[in-house]
Amino acid sequence: KVILDTAKLLKSDELFAGFRINKKGNKLLYGVSKKGSDLTSWRVRDIERGVDIGHSYDGVVWGAIHFHSDGKGVVYQIDQGVDGKRGLRAPFYYRLPGNLASVRVIHTAIDPKASSSYPSIFGKKVLVSENYSHSFNNRVYIKNADQKSRARPLELFAGLPGDYRYVGWHNQEMFFYTHQKAPRGRVIAVKLDKRYSKILSVREFIPESDNNITSIYLLK
């Protein structure tokens, strides 16, 4: 069945900004951009009933929104014009679709010199990627999802400058696509303890070859 018809949804000056589906497959998060703006408005739709629920998430930096791993709330970044820029260092918030009072900050930039900061949440942990001086190089950290926690974040690739794109995790290993020491790309696996607080090992999962790796996904 059709769960969202953008032809009926969008006005003449609006563009479709993308969608997310939660793990249970019963809720859809979709975005709309007015006049192609990077600042977008998102709504949560009940797939079974075919209706939008709760309040919209407005002023979201393009793409910086997804369902929380708890299956209930939404994590998103609102442009705050930090330092007169697009606000890519702005905090990330958590909010239940139908409860404005549930808003809370779950992540703020770790390094004040970071030009952008983006978290991915899994369980009670947050994987953070921060870029510097608008370069492709980034630093990767793991921290607690609880903003009140004072635990020091774990940096995964300290002293190894490069670009690291998170692919996924399986059996306590986190997989990253990187050009570090590999201009054509490679995939490495970082094994952590059960608390995600200590690095146990780093291994090369897919070595660099004569061909460029253009994209990679971890499926199930």
Side-chain angles (χ1 to χ4, degrees), residues 56-206:
S56 62
Y57 298 81
D58 301 321
V60 175
V61 178
W62 188 279
I65 185 169
H66 50 84
F67 284 105
H68 191 280
S69 55
D70 64 7
K72 300 177 182 179
V74 173
V75 175
Y76 57 100
Q77 185 182 40
I78 294 179
D79 176 32
Q80 295 184 335
V82 178
D83 301 327
K85 300 175 183 177
R86 260 301 174 206
L88 296 178
R89 289 187 63 255
F92 269 75
Y93 299 87
Y94 171 95
R95 196 185 88 198
L96 296 172
N99 187 351
L100 293 177
S102 65
V103 177
R104 59 186 173 90
V105 176
I106 63 165
H107 170 69
T108 55
I110 294 173
D111 192 318
K113 296 181 181 179
S115 55
S116 66
S117 182
Y118 189 85
S120 299
I121 297 175
F122 56 101
K124 295 182 180 180
K125 294 292 182 177
V126 179
L127 179 72
V128 180
S129 173
E130 294 191 347
N131 288 74
Y132 294 81
S133 301
H134 303 282
S135 70
F136 289 107
N137 286 356
N138 65 325
R139 294 177 186 172
V140 182
Y141 307 88
I142 290 181
K143 55 175 277 188
N144 290 327
D146 183 3
Q147 184 65 25
K148 297 179 181 179
S149 174
R150 296 182 179 180
R152 186 175 181 178
L154 172 67
E155 186 174 354
L156 296 187
F157 307 106
L160 298 172
D163 63 317
Y164 300 92
R165 194 184 79 188
Y166 176 59
V167 178
W169 66 281
H170 179 67
N171 288 342
Q172 301 304 128
E173 280 190 311
M174 306 188 79
F175 297 88
F176 292 87
Y177 168 66
T178 180
H179 289 96
Q180 199 268 339
K181 292 186 177 180
R184 291 181 293 277
R186 65 187 179 120
V187 178
I188 57 178
V190 181
K191 188 172 184 179
L192 303 169
D193 62 359
K194 292 184 178 180
R195 287 186 165 185
Y196 292 91
S197 60
K198 183 179 180 181
I199 298 173
L200 300 180
S201 65
V202 178
R203 68 186 178 98
E204 191 166 61
F205 185 65
I206 300 177

Side-chain angles (χ1 to χ4, degrees), residues 36-48:
S37 172
D38 285 347
L39 302 184
T40 53
S41 179
W42 294 70
R43 298 295 301 265
V44 175
R45 172 161 294 196
D46 185 307
I47 293 178
E48 295 177 358

Side-chain angles (χ1 to χ4, degrees), residues 1-8 28 45-50:
K1 66 177 181 179
V2 176
I3 59 175
L4 187 70
D5 187 345
T6 58
K8 295 180 180 179
L28 171 76
R45 172 161 294 196
D46 185 307
I47 293 178
E48 295 177 358
R49 294 187 295 154

